[in-house]
Amino acid sequence: MKAEIVSIGTEILLGDILDTNSNYIASRLPGLGIDLYYTSQIGDNRARLADLLRRGWERSDLILCSGGLGPTEDDVTREAICEVLEEEPRIDPALEDELRAFFARRGSQMPERNLKQAWLTPSTRAIPNPRGTAPGWWSEKHGKIIIAMPGPPGEMQRMWEKEVAPELERRSDAIIVSRTIKTSGLGEGTVDEMISPLLKSTNPSIGVYAKPDGIHLRLTSKAATREEAARLIEPLEEAVERILGGVIWGHDDETFEVAVGRMLRERGLTIATMESATGGLLASTITDAPGSSNYMVGGLVAYATEQKIAWGVPREVIDEHGVISVETARAMAAAARRQCGSDIGVGITGVAGPDPQDDKAPGTMHVAVDSGDGGDSMSYTYNQSRDHNKRRAVANALQLVRRTLLAAR
Amino acid sequence: MKAEIVSIGTEILLGDILDTNSNYIASRLPGLGIDLYYTSQIGDNRARLADLLRRGWERSDLILCSGGLGPTEDDVTREAICEVLEEEPRIDPALEDELRAFFARRGSQMPERNLKQAWLTPSTRAIPNPRGTAPGWWSEKHGKIIIAMPGPPGEMQRMWEKEVAPELERRSDAIIVSRTIKTSGLGEGTVDEMISPLLKSTNPSIGVYAKPDGIHLRLTSKAATREEAARLIEPLEEAVERILGGVIWGHDDETFEVAVGRMLRERGLTIATMESATGGLLASTITDAPGSSNYMVGGLVAYATEQKIAWGVPREVIDEHGVISVETARAMAAAARRQCGSDIGVGITGVAGPDPQDDKAPGTMHVAVDSGDGGDSMSYTYNQSRDHNKRRAVANALQLVRRTLLAAR
């Protein structure tokens, strides 16, 4: 099935909002065996939209729209679709009742202009939208489909997941299932070499991708049903797990902080941090994982040198090696453990940039982990923006915690 | 001038990368007096791209492309433009020399397939790209322009800023200058009412927008030159500053943390934080401002209750009012000051979510500032995602610091 995506809204063309709906939908089409050839953004202009939809109607089997379903005169998606279908809209009594009930529940009367949200045409059925007043439209004629969803991402995504994707999946004769396996600690080339006997497989197939949090492997299979596709992928996944074992830290949408948090929980260990260059971003990232209060005791942002000393970094270490040194990072990790009484301590010192500090180049980072009976550290200089430098150091600190936990196993 | 944007790359259609180039370019066109009617994304397919460009050639005056300028066979932007121009590419000797020199500087020989990056056509001139091997293309024929820029945002943005935008500005007969004034502490309706006498002005015009960090006013003027447009805006800006005075915290791209940092610096004051629900995000945000080491002493992430007590929050306060209370937030602010010896202390406690805690709803937040001789606080419940809840609390804490600094003036 050939598809195209159309996002509707003048704010997109003004650059005031970024069209994330297209990306959301695009990323989900391969799984349904649907090929995407075009995506476009267009303003709230009925003639131009109708023109674009007519063109899509000729070249594609499926047009996926979002936006322009509001009650105002600017919202012209329904009108444009009517032009393409060559049909007149009529008010659907059941939809009208629902709409009036929606407003009544909020204690207000429905403005009459909202009535067009109760429109349907002979080739159109409504797609439920419990999150808003605008139902979607599923129009089907001459073997072609136009689906119109609301613009707000929360409404669109729910409609996609609960209503549109399941129906498209039912009609698809080729479902694609994919599974992402996330690793860290090995380079892309090494991973590629280790799994090279598996790379020949075509269904399921396997791809290797370098990402900021390590090397990801994407396993993909294609079959008539989801169950069959999942069955195809299983032996390949097991083979990958056998080969890569300990370097795998997570699957699919799992983040590093959630994976590390799970390891800490499983081992019954607690963690604490002392940060300088990252200014609290490591603590904030660790606590991005729901339930992190089970293992995160506390964090210290020792931005000033005297503050590091006040919180237990020996003055001699700083005097001898400098504030920006791996020795200071190690002392910070140890001090974090002591200050918070945790099992694991993490220390980060460095130069976030953009300017050098103490003659050290921006992007210089020292990260250390202390686990009481041992420790680990890494030092590097890699300068991008201040924001990137902070994020990279946090990712590396989480990697180091993981390595320490594995080594202690 | 009527423009359209075309982003080229199969990864966009697969949903693997989000097309941010379109948004970047779109947001800059109004300032050049250029109207944007269409943006599209298309894969690395020569026939489909040529077709799309031909259509743009008919309906628009200016086509702004990004992507597809690499050296591989998949990179077909040059080929497709040649089709539209009906011209044959030839290798430009000067560009070829530059390209070979680029590789020589890296100690490698240029692969022969890179040679097409030295192509030009009779209607095309090269646009310099010091960040990569692919120069841009500026093609002009029959009064129409096609501009092709590289896909990587860093290369594209530099080329836009340094090469493309200045040339488009020279040709434009209507430059639009805009200035954003950022306020906090007043609602949209109140700001609107206060400046209502100014709202009638059309050139310059003024718009009021509610944003996460407060109410923004966007002043916009249109004139033949940048200087004239800037001159037009000045008296309006002065009028706004007179009316809104102290509620203005910044201009244009300035962030709240930079604005608050500047106030701290001007007053010679230092700051420290103690966070629970936000887990270090406030400290990290404060230190996102370059030069924050001048006023940020340190931060404490007191995630566990016992850790709060260990760092100076009186046990009685927690016993009496609970961990999630405004009294505990105040005690945390005071404790942060004492622990770090700073002038100002900030405390945040609450429920980041998604689950309730101590019978308090997710999104419940208490934020407090302590300045030694006084303080301020705010409490609210507003639940979105965990990430949003944290961000909102950080924004409110910075607002509170600003309010405290202004009150102490």
Side-chain angles (χ1 to χ4, degrees):
Chain A
M1 199 189 269
K2 277 201 270 186
E4 65 181 278
I5 294 173
V6 177
S7 297
I8 300 141
T10 299
E11 316 94 295
I12 301 172
L13 293 189
L14 288 172
D16 282 344
I17 58 171
L18 177 65
D19 169 32
T20 54
N21 285 352
S22 290
N23 178 255
Y24 176 90
I25 299 170
S27 67
R28 278 145 180 92
L29 293 180
L32 298 168
I34 296 172
D35 295 316
L36 178 67
Y37 284 158
Y38 306 91
T39 68
S40 339
Q41 294 76 33
I42 194 158
D44 301 313
N45 177 291
R46 178 171 166 173
R48 279 197 288 276
L49 175 57
D51 193 50
L52 181 64
L53 291 179
R54 227 175 266 119
R55 201 172 156 73
W57 194 249
E58 284 159 21
R59 67 187 177 186
S60 306
D61 308 307
L62 169 66
I63 308 177
L64 293 154
C65 305
S66 68
L69 293 183
T72 76
E73 273 184 39
D74 275 355
D75 296 299
V76 293
T77 302
R78 290 183 203 82
E79 288 84 343
I81 293 176
C82 287
E83 280 192 38
V84 178
L85 298 173
E86 297 179 328
E87 294 180 0
E88 287 297 317
R90 53 175 177 76
I91 291 164
D92 181 79
L95 283 181
E96 183 182 348
D97 289 348
E98 264 179 47
L99 204 55
R100 293 198 188 273
F102 183 96
F103 280 91
R105 275 196 303 276
R106 310 202 156 188
S108 63
Q109 223 189 337
M110 185 188 82
E112 282 312 298
R113 63 175 183 192
N114 274 72
L115 208 50
K116 75 173 183 177
Q117 298 188 316
W119 282 3
L120 285 182
T121 83
S123 306
T124 300
R125 64 174 180 80
I127 314 174
N129 175 18
R131 292 199 182 161
T133 58
W137 265 26
W138 186 300
S139 307
E140 201 158 353
K141 198 173 184 175
H142 309 317
K144 304 263 182 171
I145 305 174
I146 304 183
I147 294 168
M149 294 176 280
E155 297 182 32
M156 188 281 290
Q157 291 177 14
R158 190 211 166 271
M159 190 175 286
W160 174 265
E161 263 175 51
K162 301 283 178 192
E163 308 283 345
V164 177
E167 177 61 25
L168 291 174
E169 182 172 328
R170 256 191 299 280
R171 293 164 179 237
S172 176
D173 50 9
I175 295 297
I176 294 174
V177 165
S178 66
R179 172 90 164 146
T180 302
I181 299 178
K182 300 179 174 181
T183 75
S184 74
L186 296 177
E188 191 175 1
T190 312
V191 170
D192 210 83
E193 222 179 284
M194 287 171 76
I195 60 156
S196 67
L198 306 177
L199 287 172
K200 277 168 248 149
S201 171
T202 53
N203 187 25
S205 68
I206 187 165
V208 181
Y209 306 91
K211 298 278 174 179
D213 57 4
I215 306 301
H216 292 190
L217 293 98
R218 196 195 281 175
L219 283 52
T220 307
S221 66
K222 190 169 180 174
T225 66
R226 180 163 300 278
E227 293 66 38
E228 204 184 322
R231 244 194 325 272
L232 276 172
I233 238 170
E234 248 172 51
L236 184 64
E237 187 177 345
E238 282 165 17
V240 170
E241 307 253 350
R242 261 196 312 275
I243 295 172
L244 294 174
V247 304
I248 297 169
W249 61 260
H251 295 87
D252 298 332
D253 292 335
E254 196 171 32
T255 62
F256 218 100
E257 57 271 20
V258 166
V260 168
R262 199 186 48 223
M263 290 177 76
L264 287 165
R265 256 175 149 164
E266 283 169 3
R267 288 162 174 75
L269 297 174
T270 58
I271 194 166
T273 57
M274 189 181 292
E275 304 173 64
S276 178
T278 46
L281 189 62
L282 173 60
S284 178
T285 303
I286 290 174
T287 61
D288 275 343
S292 44
S293 55
N294 287 295
Y295 47 84
M296 176 68 172
V297 185
L300 297 144
V301 182
Y303 222 57
T305 299
E306 285 306 316
Q307 199 56 58
K308 292 183 184 71
I309 294 164
W311 282 335
V313 176
R315 190 181 294 276
E316 313 82 71
V317 172
I318 294 178
D319 285 347
E320 188 176 342
H321 304 282
V323 173
I324 296 145
S325 65
V326 71
E327 290 80 5
T328 297
R330 282 196 201 117
M332 289 168 73
R337 271 189 76 230
R338 275 196 309 274
Q339 278 282 336
C340 300
S342 65
D343 300 304
I344 311 267
V346 191
I348 302 179
T349 180
V351 187
D355 301 315
Q357 189 191 326
D358 299 357
D359 292 330
K360 300 285 167 35
T364 301
M365 289 284 172
H366 301 281
V367 183
V369 172
D370 187 307
S371 59
D373 54 353
D376 202 348
S377 67
M378 70 169 79
S379 299
Y380 61 90
T381 302
Y382 188 86
N383 188 34
Q384 290 177 291
S385 66
R386 184 177 176 88
D387 181 55
H388 271 90
N389 296 344
K390 288 174 70 173
R391 277 177 206 286
R392 180 177 292 268
V394 166
N396 282 327
L398 288 170
Q399 297 240 19
L400 214 53
V401 172
R402 182 173 180 278
R403 211 157 78 181
T404 306
L405 292 174
L406 284 177
R409 193 156 47 169
Chain B
M1 198 190 274
K2 277 200 271 185
E4 66 182 278
I5 294 174
V6 178
S7 298
I8 300 139
T10 299
E11 315 94 294
I12 302 173
L13 293 190
L14 287 173
D16 283 344
I17 60 173
L18 177 65
D19 170 32
T20 55
N21 285 351
S22 290
N23 179 255
Y24 176 91
I25 300 170
S27 67
R28 278 143 180 94
L29 294 180
L32 299 167
I34 296 172
D35 295 315
L36 178 67
Y37 284 156
Y38 305 91
T39 67
S40 339
Q41 294 77 32
I42 195 159
D44 301 313
N45 177 291
R46 178 171 166 173
R48 279 196 288 274
L49 175 57
D51 192 51
L52 181 65
L53 291 178
R54 226 174 267 119
R55 200 170 156 76
W57 192 249
E58 284 159 23
R59 67 186 177 188
S60 305
D61 308 308
L62 170 66
I63 308 177
L64 293 154
C65 306
S66 68
L69 293 183
T72 76
E73 273 184 40
D74 275 354
D75 296 297
V76 293
T77 302
R78 291 182 202 82
E79 288 83 344
I81 293 176
C82 287
E83 279 191 39
V84 179
L85 297 173
E86 297 178 329
E87 292 179 0
E88 287 296 316
R90 52 174 178 76
I91 292 164
D92 181 80
L95 283 182
E96 183 182 346
D97 289 350
E98 265 180 48
L99 204 56
R100 291 195 189 277
F102 182 96
F103 281 91
R105 275 197 304 277
R106 310 202 157 188
S108 63
Q109 222 189 335
M110 185 187 81
E112 281 313 298
R113 62 176 184 192
N114 275 71
L115 207 51
K116 75 173 184 177
Q117 298 189 315
W119 282 2
L120 285 182
T121 84
S123 305
T124 300
R125 65 174 180 79
I127 314 174
N129 175 19
R131 292 200 183 161
T133 58
W137 265 25
W138 186 300
S139 307
E140 203 160 351
K141 199 172 184 174
H142 309 317
K144 305 265 183 169
I145 305 173
I146 304 183
I147 294 169
M149 294 177 279
E155 297 182 32
M156 188 281 290
Q157 292 177 14
R158 191 211 167 272
M159 189 174 287
W160 174 265
E161 264 175 50
K162 301 284 177 192
E163 307 284 346
V164 177
E167 177 61 24
L168 291 174
E169 182 172 329
R170 258 190 298 282
R171 291 162 180 237
S172 177
D173 50 9
I175 295 295
I176 294 174
V177 165
S178 66
R179 174 92 164 141
T180 301
I181 299 178
K182 299 179 174 181
T183 76
S184 73
L186 297 177
E188 191 175 2
T190 312
V191 170
D192 208 84
E193 220 178 286
M194 288 171 76
I195 61 155
S196 67
L198 306 176
L199 287 172
K200 278 169 248 151
S201 171
T202 53
N203 188 25
S205 67
I206 187 166
V208 181
Y209 305 91
K211 297 278 175 180
D213 57 3
I215 306 300
H216 293 191
L217 293 96
R218 197 194 282 174
L219 283 52
T220 307
S221 67
K222 191 170 179 172
T225 66
R226 180 163 299 276
E227 294 65 37
E228 204 184 321
R231 246 195 321 275
L232 276 171
I233 237 170
E234 249 171 51
L236 184 65
E237 187 176 344
E238 282 165 17
V240 171
E241 306 253 350
R242 261 197 311 278
I243 295 171
L244 293 174
V247 304
I248 297 169
W249 62 259
H251 295 87
D252 298 333
D253 292 335
E254 196 171 31
T255 61
F256 219 101
E257 57 271 18
V258 166
V260 167
R262 200 186 48 225
M263 289 177 76
L264 287 165
R265 256 174 147 161
E266 282 168 6
R267 288 162 174 75
L269 297 175
T270 57
I271 194 166
T273 57
M274 188 181 292
E275 303 173 65
S276 177
T278 46
L281 189 62
L282 173 60
S284 178
T285 303
I286 291 174
T287 61
D288 277 342
S292 45
S293 54
N294 287 295
Y295 47 84
M296 176 65 172
V297 187
L300 297 143
V301 181
Y303 221 58
T305 299
E306 285 306 315
Q307 200 56 59
K308 292 184 184 71
I309 294 165
W311 283 334
V313 176
R315 191 182 292 273
E316 313 82 70
V317 172
I318 295 179
D319 284 348
E320 189 175 342
H321 303 282
V323 174
I324 296 146
S325 65
V326 72
E327 290 81 4
T328 297
R330 283 197 201 115
M332 288 168 74
R337 271 189 76 230
R338 277 196 311 274
Q339 278 282 336
C340 300
S342 65
D343 300 304
I344 312 266
V346 191
I348 303 180
T349 180
V351 187
D355 300 315
Q357 190 189 327
D358 298 357
D359 291 332
K360 300 285 167 35
T364 301
M365 288 285 171
H366 302 281
V367 184
V369 173
D370 187 306
S371 60
D373 55 353
D376 201 347
S377 67
M378 70 170 79
S379 299
Y380 61 90
T381 302
Y382 188 86
N383 187 34
Q384 290 177 290
S385 66
R386 185 176 175 91
D387 182 55
H388 272 90
N389 296 344
K390 288 176 71 173
R391 279 177 204 287
R392 179 177 293 265
V394 166
N396 282 327
L398 289 169
Q399 297 238 19
L400 214 54
V401 172
R402 181 172 181 277
R403 209 156 82 181
T404 307
L405 292 173
L406 284 176
R409 193 158 47 174

